[in-house]
Amino acid sequence: MSTSLERALDILQSLSVRPDGPRQLSEMLDVHRSTVVRLLHSMESRGFVRRLPDGRWGIGFDLVEIGQRALDGIDLRDAARPHIQSLADELGHTVHVAELVGSDIVYVDKIEGLGSVKMRSRVGAKANAHAAGVAKAALAYAPAAVQDTAIVACDFERFTASTITDADGLRADFARIRARGWAIDDAEGEDYINCIAFPLFGLRDEVRGAVSVTAVRSIAPVSVLERHASRIRRAADAISAELGRPTPAAAAGAVTDAQLREPLIDS
């Protein structure tokens, strides 16, 4: 890598933290001020940096746009796949990833667990807002307008005796999810399976979807799945980091490693 390119990249990295002046940048790089000014003007011509009213320099809008386009190009399924594969291999249960699209939650990936049975979920299908763990995990952290739209569109069909069947019940569950840090589907969509699900976040800490671990209740009831909450949360954190989130997803929930037992293999 050329020295000029390295210096330009060092300048961009520094300005991404805070605006600065040529003198401070030259001291940081240990080069003459004229060298820094020349690099700044070259990058300014491409929109990578911009001069601020107070004489300092900051990141340019064209560079911000490039970064945003790059983030927009990150596919949730591709970002999540290696992490959910590891999760499925380790726990032996079915793992789902769903994406928040408008006010819908759509399954974008699914890895079947060992000896798994037929489930209603399939890639490309919408998850039931009131009964699926991934849907509840994503919507619990969605803006109020998105929640409202999802609730209005929900038919609240009763699938099992545990299904939430009204808007008040679903909103109350959203509050429990935010307090707990993860969602639970305890035989709410299908009476022989249950799951726990964690939200996934993007660059601006906006919810992008959710990841869940699903098991047959007779093999691993919710109480057993919750022993893996710390491990699933770490996978959700890693996926969120792939999506650009600068802070751990753990900040969204109350769960900590100290509050949970270490993951156990159940199946």
Side-chain angles (χ1 to χ4, degrees):
M1 187 182 295
S2 72
T3 301
S4 293
L5 179 56
E6 288 180 334
R7 288 170 177 166
L9 293 174
D10 287 340
I11 289 173
L12 290 175
Q13 191 168 39
S14 179
L15 295 182
S16 72
V17 177
R18 66 180 182 277
D20 228 336
R23 181 176 61 80
Q24 291 82 4
L25 292 170
S26 67
E27 291 174 354
M28 178 194 72
L29 295 174
D30 194 24
V31 297
H32 196 275
R33 183 178 182 278
S34 63
T35 300
V36 170
V37 171
R38 185 175 67 253
L39 290 171
L40 287 169
H41 283 302
S42 294
M43 291 188 287
E44 182 184 29
S45 70
R46 300 297 299 271
F48 290 175
V49 299
R50 59 192 175 95
R51 198 176 334 204
L52 304 178
D54 62 5
R56 294 182 301 164
W57 292 76
I59 291 296
F61 295 119
D62 285 358
L63 186 59
V64 173
E65 183 181 358
I66 289 171
Q68 185 57 58
R69 287 202 303 267
L71 285 169
D72 290 343
I74 297 175
D75 181 79
L76 175 56
R77 185 179 188 277
D78 291 342
R81 171 50 78 143
H83 302 289
I84 67 169
Q85 185 66 66
S86 296
L87 200 57
D89 291 344
E90 181 178 339
L91 302 185
H93 301 309
T94 296
V95 182
H96 294 93
V97 176
E99 185 166 8
L100 181 63
V101 181
S103 60
D104 293 326
I105 301 86
V106 180
Y107 290 107
V108 295
D109 206 356
K110 177 181 181 179
I111 297 179
E112 300 280 1
L114 299 174
S116 62
V117 297
K118 185 176 178 60
M119 299 179 188
R120 184 181 294 118
S121 61
R122 59 181 175 80
V123 173
K126 294 179 183 179
N128 292 302
H130 64 304
V134 286
K136 295 193 296 177
L139 288 172
Y141 291 90
V146 174
Q147 290 184 2
D148 292 343
T149 301
I151 288 173
V152 168
C154 185
D155 61 8
F156 289 102
E157 178 181 355
R158 180 180 289 281
F159 299 111
T160 74
S162 303
T163 305
I164 296 171
T165 57
D166 59 72
D168 289 343
L170 186 54
R171 291 188 189 280
D173 202 34
F174 289 163
R176 287 191 292 270
I177 292 164
R178 291 191 298 271
R180 186 195 304 122
W182 68 88
I184 292 173
D185 165 7
D186 191 3
E188 295 166 35
E190 296 170 88
D191 59 11
Y192 55 92
I193 62 173
N194 48 210
C195 82
I196 63 172
F198 280 79
L200 302 173
F201 299 92
L203 174 66
R204 300 176 189 83
D205 216 31
E206 78 283 9
V207 67
R208 291 283 304 275
V211 58
S212 70
V213 172
T214 304
V216 176
R217 293 178 69 202
S218 60
I219 296 175
V222 166
S223 60
V224 171
L225 290 181
E226 286 189 306
R227 298 178 191 174
H228 301 298
S230 181
R231 172 66 182 91
I232 302 166
R233 188 201 66 202
R234 289 196 296 271
D237 287 349
I239 297 168
S240 294
E242 298 270 9
L243 298 173
R245 192 189 196 200
T247 55
V255 62
T256 63
D257 288 346
Q259 293 172 311
L260 298 163
R261 284 186 271 174
E262 285 301 307
L264 303 171
I265 300 297
D266 310 314
S267 48

